């Protein structure tokens, strides 16, 4: 199956729309983008980088952190419990099913660190105003399916257009960082476009590698066929859920190499698999 479901002029238009939508999303919150690094620094109690005057103290007082920890403790007292989900029977006949259902849902939530991910998303919402949870379904070697939840930092996720809480109307852009060998493997499996990944390979090969990166790999190949000494170099790209001609599509996009993958929505629901908190 071709990893990109459009071609020719349609592919050019899709890349243009992806680029324009991503730019609009990143430009939609300039004030938050400016403040986020300082918020992170204060919460981590890191010293200020710039002093107001020579020899000024650069320590961060724990005032903000102390108040934040109090809020976290108060909220976690309500949500960090077992069972987390509470079922309310609507009829007398359903009452006997409440406890088994709660136990089953709690067991599923406890798998794969999902409970910790939910709590991390709540903590992120307390820290910076918005937390994001992402749900993915993965097939196991036994042919079963697992639901995994992850918390996405605010720096790495953008929603556009803003001003709506209806996720069916929103395009979502998640910044992803993987070593190059992940992209190369995806190209070998026909999950990513081979030519785009090879272009990325040529770009990462032109960047001076670290000492640790020099020690891995066996060849100078920067394409997709063999292991490469550039395999561990980090690559930043985007996972995007975008409305294209009225339909939701799933796109992986590199800002220099272009579209790595674009397919119709593979989910049984007509909305991205993200939930802001």
């Amino acid at each position: 199956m071709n990893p990109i479901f459009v071609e020719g002029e349609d592919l050019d238009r899709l890349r243009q729309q992806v680029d324009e939508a991503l730019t609009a999303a990143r430009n939609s919150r300039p004030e938050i983008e400016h403040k986020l690094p300082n918020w992170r620094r204060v919460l981590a109690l890191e010293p200020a980088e710039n002093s107001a005057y020579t020899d000024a103290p650069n320590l961060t007082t724990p005032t903000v952190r102390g108040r934040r920890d109090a809020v976290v403790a108060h909220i976690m007292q309500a949500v960090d419990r077992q069972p987390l989900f509470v079922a309310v029977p609507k009829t007398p006949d359903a009452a006997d099913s409440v406890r088994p259902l709660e136990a089953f849902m709690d067991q599923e939530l406890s798998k794969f660190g999902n409970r910790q991910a939910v709590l991390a998303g709540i903590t992120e919402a307390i820290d910076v105003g918005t937390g994001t949870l992402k749900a993915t379904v993965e097939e196991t070697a036994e042919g079963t399916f697992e639901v995994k939840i992850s918390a996405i930092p605010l720096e790495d996720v953008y929603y556009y257009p803003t001003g709506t809480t209806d996720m069916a109307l929103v395009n979502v852009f998640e910044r992803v960082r993987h070593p190059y060998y992940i992209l190369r493997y995806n190209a070998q499996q026909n999950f990513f476009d081979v030519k785009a990944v090879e272009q990325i390979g040529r770009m990462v090969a032109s960047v001076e590698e670290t000492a640790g990166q020099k020690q891995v790999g066996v060849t100078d190949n920067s394409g997709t066929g063999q292991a490469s000494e550039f395999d561990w170099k980090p690559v930043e790209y985007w996972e995007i859920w975008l409305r294209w001609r009225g339909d939701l599509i799933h796109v992986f996009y590199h800002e220099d190499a272009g579209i790595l993958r674009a397919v119709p929505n593979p989910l049984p629901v007509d909305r991205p698999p993200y939930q802001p908190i």
Side-chain angles (χ1 to χ4, degrees), residues 156-178:
D156 292 336
V157 64
Y158 296 83
Y159 302 100
Y160 192 82
T162 58
T164 178
T165 57
D166 187 349
M167 290 301 295
L169 304 177
V170 174
N171 301 315
V172 182
F173 307 82
E174 180 191 350
R175 181 185 287 110
V176 181
R177 301 175 186 86
H178 282 142

Side-chain angles (χ1 to χ4, degrees), residues 1-254:
M1 178 180 176
N2 194 322
I4 301 177
F5 79 112
V6 295
E7 57 185 8
E9 292 184 358
D10 281 344
L11 179 57
D12 293 337
R13 293 191 184 99
L14 177 58
R15 176 169 182 174
Q16 180 180 1
Q17 180 172 331
V18 168
D19 185 65
E20 291 175 353
L22 176 58
T23 300
R26 297 169 81 173
N27 292 338
S28 65
R29 58 180 204 199
E31 186 175 352
I32 293 178
E33 293 291 292
H34 177 71
K35 292 180 178 179
L36 264 175
N38 187 54
W39 291 346
R40 299 294 189 194
R41 180 188 62 78
V42 170
L43 289 170
L45 298 180
E46 295 176 353
E49 294 182 359
N50 300 315
S51 300
Y53 53 89
T54 304
D55 297 328
N58 64 348
L59 299 178
T60 300
T61 60
T63 305
V64 174
R65 177 63 179 269
R67 293 177 178 176
R68 172 263 195 184
D69 290 347
V71 174
V72 170
H74 179 72
I75 293 178
M76 290 304 175
Q77 186 177 11
V79 299
D80 189 8
R81 64 185 184 188
Q82 291 183 329
L84 178 61
F85 296 110
V86 177
V88 179
K90 297 297 184 180
T91 65
D93 294 337
D96 292 340
S97 303
V98 168
R99 295 295 176 262
L101 178 60
E102 289 177 346
F104 170 75
M105 295 175 68
D106 201 65
Q107 179 185 9
E108 290 299 305
L109 185 65
S110 298
K111 290 181 178 179
F112 320 118
N114 286 344
R115 172 183 290 274
Q116 287 73 20
V118 171
L119 299 180
I122 294 173
T123 302
E124 177 80 352
I126 297 169
D127 287 350
V128 296
T130 302
T132 295
L133 296 178
K134 176 185 179 183
T136 56
V137 179
E138 300 180 7
E139 186 174 3
T140 67
E142 294 77 23
T144 60
F145 293 90
E146 301 171 347
V147 177
K148 295 185 178 180
I149 299 174
S150 53
I152 312 299
L154 184 58
E155 291 92 335
D156 292 336
V157 64
Y158 296 83
Y159 302 100
Y160 192 82
T162 58
T164 178
T165 57
D166 187 349
M167 290 301 295
L169 304 177
V170 174
N171 301 315
V172 182
F173 307 82
E174 180 191 350
R175 181 185 287 110
V176 181
R177 301 175 186 86
H178 282 142
Y180 174 67
Y181 80 87
I182 296 291
L183 283 76
R184 184 169 57 79
Y185 174 79
N186 283 333
Q188 290 172 351
Q189 300 301 311
N190 204 35
F191 187 80
F192 281 172
D193 180 70
V194 172
K195 291 183 178 179
V197 172
E198 288 180 341
Q199 181 178 344
I200 295 172
R202 290 190 291 271
M203 287 187 288
V204 298
S206 66
V207 179
E208 183 178 355
E209 65 269 25
T210 66
Q213 290 162 347
K214 288 180 179 178
Q215 296 175 12
V216 301
V218 294
T219 75
D220 292 333
N221 171 47
S222 61
T224 60
Q226 306 175 53
S228 164
E229 65 178 297
F230 314 108
D231 272 356
W232 288 94
K233 286 191 175 181
V235 177
E236 181 178 294
Y237 58 105
W238 295 88
E239 179 179 358
I240 300 171
W241 296 82
L242 181 77
R243 288 288 169 184
W244 165 252
R245 296 174 176 171
D247 296 321
L248 183 65
I249 64 172
H250 189 202
V251 178
F252 289 88
Y253 176 71
H254 186 276

